[in-house]
Amino acid sequence: MTTQFATFAGGCFWCMVKPFDEQPGIKSVLSGYTGGHVENPTYEQVCSEKTGHLEAVQIAFDPEVYPYEQLVELYWTLIDPTDAGGQFYDRGQSYSTAIFYDNEQQKEMAEASKARLEASGKFHAPIAVKILPAKTFYVAEEYHQHYYKKNPAHYNRYSVGSGRVAFIEQHWGQK
């Protein structure tokens, strides 16, 4: 069984874990930080907007069960791909969106998927998600891991209150 990795930034990492966690072939989903210039950043440092890191999730998956292309397609349905300033309630560079690719094949698949989304006419604004080479992924503090399981009431209030749930229902037709 092969394990590959996919890394996506989609705003608050709390809201990015559960949808991936629920898919077959997913071995783990970790919340963390990537894309910046500070080694082993803390949550507070990343929130300061001085590290260059984005909140992200890193997914270990079996591509025979759940291919990378499907992960990218699911990713689009979890975000507002046109928002370059953050995601929903969360504003700032650390909450911006990106697909971090591990190899040329992932890069090509991500770029092709982005081009299909742009061509679909689903959104009137340009797709703002960056496609970037993967950098070191730093696992976030334990209290951030699988937040939806540890604090389900707060997670649900946050995902609804941030506007994420309404946006997803309106644009992607799912909860």
Side-chain angles (χ1 to χ4, degrees):
M1 180 160 57
T2 305
T3 299
Q4 292 183 9
F5 295 90
T7 306
F8 302 110
C12 176
F13 47 36
W14 291 350
C15 295
M16 297 294 293
V17 174
K18 184 179 179 185
F20 290 110
D21 222 13
E22 296 174 332
Q23 304 309 313
I26 303 304
K27 297 176 181 183
S28 67
V29 183
L30 294 173
S31 295
Y33 317 109
T34 192
H37 57 273
V38 173
E39 289 187 28
N40 297 309
T42 65
Y43 177 70
E44 289 74 21
Q45 287 174 311
V46 172
C47 288
S48 77
E49 300 283 324
K50 295 177 182 171
T51 68
H53 288 288
L54 282 67
E55 285 195 13
V57 292
Q58 186 172 72
I59 303 153
F61 67 101
D62 179 346
E64 298 295 320
V65 178
Y66 206 89
Y68 182 77
E69 299 95 327
Q70 280 184 263
L71 288 170
V72 173
E73 295 303 316
L74 176 56
Y75 168 73
W76 295 125
T77 68
L78 305 177
I79 64 169
D80 175 354
T82 66
D83 189 346
Q87 286 291 287
F88 311 104
Y89 175 81
D90 297 307
R91 310 312 304 157
Q93 176 268 326
S94 64
Y95 293 111
S96 60
T97 55
I99 297 172
F100 293 93
Y101 60 86
D102 282 345
N103 54 51
E104 282 302 307
Q105 185 180 18
Q106 283 187 354
K107 179 183 179 184
E108 291 169 10
M109 287 187 265
E111 287 176 345
S113 181
K114 180 178 177 178
R116 284 192 302 275
L117 182 58
E118 286 216 318
S120 75
K122 187 168 195 66
F123 296 97
H124 300 294
I127 303 303
V129 175
K130 295 176 183 157
I131 299 175
L132 303 168
K135 292 180 87 174
T136 303
F137 182 86
Y138 298 98
V139 177
E141 297 81 355
E142 181 56 35
Y143 69 93
H144 289 302
Q145 305 304 323
H146 292 88
Y147 194 83
Y148 77 95
K149 290 180 181 177
K150 294 176 180 172
N151 297 288
H154 185 253
Y155 167 81
N156 288 330
R157 279 191 310 274
Y158 178 81
S159 59
V160 170
S162 70
R164 188 180 292 262
V165 168
F167 181 90
I168 290 169
E169 287 176 0
Q170 179 184 356
H171 290 88
W172 300 105
Q174 63 189 35
K175 289 188 178 193

